[in-house]
């Protein structure tokens, strides 16, 4: 299960970075740690939706790790 979550996490991180680059070509992966600093990302519903999916995966992983 952990391996699957890690794969999902990696995939979603790459997907979110790709979307962010379409919105802001100069964005870095580090910039995504603070997307609220960039109104172009913060106010983009597609970016915010995909970011929510990423946070859901992270929450699921944390819950499973806490259970083990």
């Amino acid at each position: 299960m952990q391996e699957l979550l890690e794969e999902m996490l990696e995939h979603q991180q790459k997907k979110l970075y790709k979307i962010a680059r379409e919105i802001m070509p100069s964005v870095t992966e580090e910039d995504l740690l603070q997307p609220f600093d960039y109104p172009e990302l913060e106010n983009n519903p597609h970016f915010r939706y995909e970011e929510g999916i990423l946070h859901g995966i992270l929450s699921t992983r944390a819950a499973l790790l806490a259970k083990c």
Side-chain angles (χ1 to χ4, degrees):
M1 184 62 114
Q2 277 184 279
E3 188 177 318
L4 175 61
L5 277 173
E6 292 302 322
E7 287 176 22
M8 291 171 63
L9 179 59
E10 185 178 329
H11 172 77
Q12 190 62 24
Q13 287 172 326
K14 287 178 182 177
K15 184 176 183 179
L16 189 63
Y17 182 58
K18 181 180 179 223
I19 291 167
R21 296 275 314 213
E22 290 171 1
I23 299 165
M24 270 181 60
S26 64
V27 76
T28 67
E29 289 184 39
E30 189 173 305
D31 292 336
L32 296 184
L33 298 174
Q34 305 287 340
F36 47 83
D37 287 342
Y38 305 94
E40 301 93 329
L41 299 177
E42 183 69 14
N43 299 320
N44 186 288
H46 185 216
F47 176 84
R48 299 300 291 176
Y49 174 80
E50 296 296 341
E51 184 185 37
I53 292 173
L54 176 63
H55 287 288
I57 295 169
L58 288 168
S59 295
T60 301
R61 183 179 72 165
L64 284 174
L65 290 173
K67 203 72 164 140
C68 294

